[in-house]
Short mmCIF file of all heavy atoms in Angstrom, two decimals:
data_model
loop_
_atom_site.label_atom_id
_atom_site.label_comp_id
_atom_site.label_asym_id
_atom_site.label_seq_id
_atom_site.Cartn_x
_atom_site.Cartn_y
_atom_site.Cartn_z
N GLY A 151 10.02 -0.97 1.41
CA GLY A 151 11.33 -1.44 1.86
C GLY A 151 12.00 -2.33 0.83
O GLY A 151 11.55 -2.46 -0.31
N PRO A 152 13.08 -2.98 1.26
CA PRO A 152 13.87 -3.78 0.32
C PRO A 152 13.20 -5.07 -0.17
O PRO A 152 13.53 -5.57 -1.23
CB PRO A 152 15.15 -4.09 1.10
CG PRO A 152 14.76 -3.99 2.54
CD PRO A 152 13.67 -2.95 2.59
N GLN A 153 12.27 -5.63 0.61
CA GLN A 153 11.64 -6.89 0.19
C GLN A 153 10.64 -6.63 -0.94
O GLN A 153 9.86 -5.69 -0.90
CB GLN A 153 10.92 -7.55 1.37
CG GLN A 153 10.31 -8.89 0.97
CD GLN A 153 9.72 -9.66 2.13
OE1 GLN A 153 9.89 -9.28 3.28
NE2 GLN A 153 9.03 -10.74 1.83
N HIS A 154 10.69 -7.51 -1.94
CA HIS A 154 9.75 -7.41 -3.07
C HIS A 154 8.46 -8.16 -2.73
O HIS A 154 8.50 -9.27 -2.21
CB HIS A 154 10.37 -8.04 -4.33
CG HIS A 154 9.36 -8.27 -5.41
ND1 HIS A 154 8.90 -7.25 -6.21
CD2 HIS A 154 8.71 -9.39 -5.80
CE1 HIS A 154 8.00 -7.74 -7.05
NE2 HIS A 154 7.88 -9.03 -6.83
N PHE A 155 7.34 -7.53 -3.02
CA PHE A 155 6.03 -8.18 -2.87
C PHE A 155 5.37 -8.24 -4.23
O PHE A 155 5.41 -7.28 -5.00
CB PHE A 155 5.14 -7.42 -1.88
CG PHE A 155 5.66 -7.45 -0.47
CD1 PHE A 155 6.34 -6.36 0.07
CD2 PHE A 155 5.49 -8.58 0.32
CE1 PHE A 155 6.84 -6.41 1.36
CE2 PHE A 155 6.00 -8.63 1.61
CZ PHE A 155 6.66 -7.54 2.13
N ASP A 156 4.76 -9.39 -4.53
CA ASP A 156 4.05 -9.54 -5.80
C ASP A 156 2.70 -8.82 -5.77
O ASP A 156 2.20 -8.38 -6.80
CB ASP A 156 3.84 -11.02 -6.12
CG ASP A 156 5.16 -11.72 -6.37
OD1 ASP A 156 5.88 -11.32 -7.30
OD2 ASP A 156 5.48 -12.66 -5.62
N LEU A 157 2.12 -8.69 -4.56
CA LEU A 157 0.82 -8.05 -4.41
C LEU A 157 0.64 -7.61 -2.97
O LEU A 157 1.15 -8.26 -2.05
CB LEU A 157 -0.30 -9.02 -4.81
CG LEU A 157 -1.70 -8.43 -4.88
CD1 LEU A 157 -2.43 -8.96 -6.13
CD2 LEU A 157 -2.50 -8.76 -3.66
N ILE A 158 -0.10 -6.52 -2.78
CA ILE A 158 -0.41 -6.01 -1.45
C ILE A 158 -1.92 -6.07 -1.24
O ILE A 158 -2.69 -5.58 -2.07
CB ILE A 158 0.09 -4.56 -1.28
CG1 ILE A 158 1.62 -4.51 -1.44
CG2 ILE A 158 -0.33 -3.99 0.07
CD1 ILE A 158 2.19 -3.12 -1.59
N LEU A 159 -2.32 -6.69 -0.13
CA LEU A 159 -3.72 -6.68 0.31
C LEU A 159 -3.82 -5.59 1.36
O LEU A 159 -3.12 -5.64 2.37
CB LEU A 159 -4.11 -8.03 0.93
CG LEU A 159 -4.06 -9.23 -0.01
CD1 LEU A 159 -4.08 -10.53 0.77
CD2 LEU A 159 -5.22 -9.17 -0.98
N LEU A 160 -4.66 -4.59 1.12
CA LEU A 160 -4.66 -3.39 1.94
C LEU A 160 -6.06 -3.06 2.46
O LEU A 160 -6.98 -2.84 1.67
CB LEU A 160 -4.13 -2.22 1.09
CG LEU A 160 -4.09 -0.83 1.71
CD1 LEU A 160 -3.19 -0.80 2.95
CD2 LEU A 160 -3.60 0.18 0.67
N ASP A 161 -6.19 -3.03 3.77
CA ASP A 161 -7.45 -2.62 4.41
C ASP A 161 -7.54 -1.10 4.36
O ASP A 161 -6.51 -0.41 4.32
CB ASP A 161 -7.46 -3.11 5.86
CG ASP A 161 -8.79 -2.90 6.55
OD1 ASP A 161 -9.81 -2.72 5.87
OD2 ASP A 161 -8.81 -2.92 7.80
N VAL A 162 -8.74 -0.56 4.37
CA VAL A 162 -8.91 0.90 4.36
C VAL A 162 -8.82 1.47 5.76
O VAL A 162 -8.09 2.42 6.01
CB VAL A 162 -10.24 1.30 3.69
CG1 VAL A 162 -10.51 2.78 3.89
CG2 VAL A 162 -10.21 0.98 2.21
N MET A 163 -9.55 0.89 6.70
CA MET A 163 -9.60 1.43 8.06
C MET A 163 -8.48 0.83 8.90
O MET A 163 -8.59 -0.29 9.38
CB MET A 163 -10.97 1.18 8.68
CG MET A 163 -12.07 1.95 7.97
SD MET A 163 -13.70 1.78 8.72
CE MET A 163 -14.15 0.13 8.23
N LEU A 164 -7.38 1.60 9.02
CA LEU A 164 -6.19 1.15 9.73
C LEU A 164 -5.78 2.18 10.78
O LEU A 164 -5.99 3.37 10.58
CB LEU A 164 -5.03 1.00 8.75
CG LEU A 164 -5.09 -0.11 7.72
CD1 LEU A 164 -4.06 0.11 6.63
CD2 LEU A 164 -4.89 -1.46 8.40
N PRO A 165 -5.13 1.71 11.86
CA PRO A 165 -4.55 2.68 12.80
C PRO A 165 -3.32 3.36 12.20
O PRO A 165 -2.69 2.82 11.29
CB PRO A 165 -4.17 1.82 14.01
CG PRO A 165 -4.28 0.40 13.60
CD PRO A 165 -5.02 0.34 12.30
N LYS A 166 -3.00 4.53 12.70
CA LYS A 166 -1.82 5.34 12.36
C LYS A 166 -1.90 5.99 10.99
O LYS A 166 -1.51 7.14 10.85
CB LYS A 166 -0.52 4.56 12.51
CG LYS A 166 -0.24 4.11 13.93
CD LYS A 166 1.12 3.51 14.07
CE LYS A 166 1.35 3.02 15.49
NZ LYS A 166 2.63 2.34 15.63
N MET A 167 -2.36 5.27 9.96
CA MET A 167 -2.48 5.84 8.62
C MET A 167 -3.50 4.97 7.87
O MET A 167 -3.34 3.76 7.81
CB MET A 167 -1.12 5.78 7.90
CG MET A 167 -1.11 6.36 6.50
SD MET A 167 0.47 6.10 5.63
CE MET A 167 1.63 6.90 6.73
N ASP A 168 -4.56 5.59 7.33
CA ASP A 168 -5.58 4.77 6.68
C ASP A 168 -5.08 4.24 5.33
O ASP A 168 -4.07 4.67 4.79
CB ASP A 168 -6.92 5.51 6.56
CG ASP A 168 -6.96 6.60 5.51
OD1 ASP A 168 -6.26 6.51 4.48
OD2 ASP A 168 -7.73 7.56 5.70
N GLY A 169 -5.81 3.25 4.82
CA GLY A 169 -5.40 2.57 3.61
C GLY A 169 -5.32 3.48 2.39
O GLY A 169 -4.47 3.29 1.52
N PHE A 170 -6.22 4.47 2.30
CA PHE A 170 -6.16 5.41 1.18
C PHE A 170 -4.85 6.20 1.20
O PHE A 170 -4.23 6.42 0.16
CB PHE A 170 -7.36 6.37 1.20
CG PHE A 170 -8.68 5.72 0.90
CD1 PHE A 170 -9.78 5.99 1.69
CD2 PHE A 170 -8.84 4.85 -0.17
CE1 PHE A 170 -11.02 5.41 1.43
CE2 PHE A 170 -10.07 4.26 -0.44
CZ PHE A 170 -11.16 4.54 0.36
N GLU A 171 -4.43 6.62 2.39
CA GLU A 171 -3.17 7.37 2.51
C GLU A 171 -1.97 6.47 2.20
O GLU A 171 -1.02 6.89 1.54
CB GLU A 171 -3.05 7.96 3.93
CG GLU A 171 -1.91 8.93 4.10
CD GLU A 171 -2.05 10.22 3.31
OE1 GLU A 171 -3.17 10.59 2.91
OE2 GLU A 171 -1.00 10.86 3.08
N VAL A 172 -2.02 5.22 2.67
CA VAL A 172 -0.96 4.26 2.35
C VAL A 172 -0.86 4.10 0.83
O VAL A 172 0.23 4.17 0.26
CB VAL A 172 -1.21 2.89 3.02
CG1 VAL A 172 -0.23 1.84 2.51
CG2 VAL A 172 -1.14 3.00 4.54
N LEU A 173 -2.00 3.91 0.18
CA LEU A 173 -2.03 3.72 -1.27
C LEU A 173 -1.48 4.95 -1.99
O LEU A 173 -0.67 4.83 -2.92
CB LEU A 173 -3.46 3.42 -1.74
CG LEU A 173 -3.64 3.19 -3.23
CD1 LEU A 173 -2.83 1.99 -3.72
CD2 LEU A 173 -5.13 3.00 -3.54
N LYS A 174 -1.90 6.13 -1.55
CA LYS A 174 -1.44 7.37 -2.17
C LYS A 174 0.08 7.49 -2.09
O LYS A 174 0.76 7.80 -3.07
CB LYS A 174 -2.12 8.56 -1.47
CG LYS A 174 -1.79 9.90 -2.04
CD LYS A 174 -2.58 10.97 -1.27
CE LYS A 174 -2.14 12.36 -1.65
NZ LYS A 174 -2.79 13.38 -0.82
N LYS A 175 0.64 7.24 -0.90
CA LYS A 175 2.10 7.34 -0.71
C LYS A 175 2.83 6.22 -1.45
O LYS A 175 3.91 6.44 -2.00
CB LYS A 175 2.45 7.32 0.78
CG LYS A 175 2.00 8.59 1.50
CD LYS A 175 2.31 8.52 2.98
CE LYS A 175 1.77 9.72 3.71
NZ LYS A 175 2.67 10.82 3.80
N LEU A 176 2.25 5.04 -1.48
CA LEU A 176 2.86 3.92 -2.18
C LEU A 176 2.97 4.19 -3.68
O LEU A 176 3.99 3.92 -4.30
CB LEU A 176 2.03 2.65 -1.94
CG LEU A 176 2.51 1.39 -2.65
CD1 LEU A 176 3.83 0.91 -2.04
CD2 LEU A 176 1.46 0.30 -2.55
N ARG A 177 1.92 4.77 -4.26
CA ARG A 177 1.87 4.99 -5.70
C ARG A 177 2.87 6.05 -6.19
O ARG A 177 3.15 6.12 -7.37
CB ARG A 177 0.45 5.35 -6.15
CG ARG A 177 -0.47 4.15 -6.20
CD ARG A 177 -0.02 3.17 -7.27
NE ARG A 177 -0.86 2.00 -7.34
CZ ARG A 177 -0.44 0.76 -7.07
NH1 ARG A 177 0.81 0.55 -6.68
NH2 ARG A 177 -1.24 -0.26 -7.18
N VAL A 178 3.44 6.83 -5.28
CA VAL A 178 4.46 7.81 -5.66
C VAL A 178 5.68 7.09 -6.25
O VAL A 178 6.29 7.57 -7.19
CB VAL A 178 4.87 8.68 -4.44
CG1 VAL A 178 6.09 9.52 -4.75
CG2 VAL A 178 3.70 9.54 -4.00
N SER A 179 6.00 5.91 -5.71
CA SER A 179 7.23 5.24 -6.12
C SER A 179 7.09 3.77 -6.50
O SER A 179 8.03 3.18 -7.01
CB SER A 179 8.26 5.35 -4.99
OG SER A 179 7.74 4.75 -3.81
N HIS A 180 5.93 3.15 -6.27
CA HIS A 180 5.79 1.71 -6.49
C HIS A 180 4.52 1.39 -7.29
O HIS A 180 3.47 1.99 -7.06
CB HIS A 180 5.73 0.96 -5.16
CG HIS A 180 7.03 0.94 -4.43
ND1 HIS A 180 7.56 2.04 -3.81
CD2 HIS A 180 7.93 -0.06 -4.23
CE1 HIS A 180 8.72 1.73 -3.26
NE2 HIS A 180 8.96 0.46 -3.50
N LEU A 181 4.65 0.42 -8.19
CA LEU A 181 3.52 -0.02 -8.99
C LEU A 181 3.03 -1.41 -8.59
O LEU A 181 2.31 -2.06 -9.33
CB LEU A 181 3.89 -0.02 -10.48
CG LEU A 181 4.20 1.36 -11.07
CD1 LEU A 181 4.67 1.24 -12.51
CD2 LEU A 181 2.99 2.27 -10.98
N THR A 182 3.43 -1.87 -7.40
CA THR A 182 3.01 -3.18 -6.91
C THR A 182 1.48 -3.25 -6.95
O THR A 182 0.81 -2.33 -6.48
CB THR A 182 3.49 -3.38 -5.46
OG1 THR A 182 4.89 -3.13 -5.39
CG2 THR A 182 3.18 -4.79 -4.98
N PRO A 183 0.91 -4.33 -7.50
CA PRO A 183 -0.56 -4.46 -7.50
C PRO A 183 -1.12 -4.40 -6.08
O PRO A 183 -0.54 -4.98 -5.16
CB PRO A 183 -0.81 -5.82 -8.13
CG PRO A 183 0.42 -6.13 -8.91
CD PRO A 183 1.55 -5.46 -8.17
N VAL A 184 -2.24 -3.70 -5.93
CA VAL A 184 -2.90 -3.54 -4.63
C VAL A 184 -4.36 -3.96 -4.75
O VAL A 184 -5.08 -3.49 -5.62
CB VAL A 184 -2.83 -2.08 -4.13
CG1 VAL A 184 -3.63 -1.92 -2.85
CG2 VAL A 184 -1.39 -1.65 -3.91
N LEU A 185 -4.77 -4.88 -3.86
CA LEU A 185 -6.16 -5.27 -3.75
C LEU A 185 -6.65 -4.72 -2.41
O LEU A 185 -6.14 -5.10 -1.37
CB LEU A 185 -6.30 -6.80 -3.81
CG LEU A 185 -7.71 -7.35 -4.01
CD1 LEU A 185 -7.63 -8.78 -4.53
CD2 LEU A 185 -8.55 -7.31 -2.77
#
């Protein structure tokens, strides 16, 4: 979204969409660091 984040802390086991899928979709358009 429009808000800038310096870093994303991302759990793997999540409801609705797991962390691996979130990371995969995020990396299509964003290079925000992910831990």
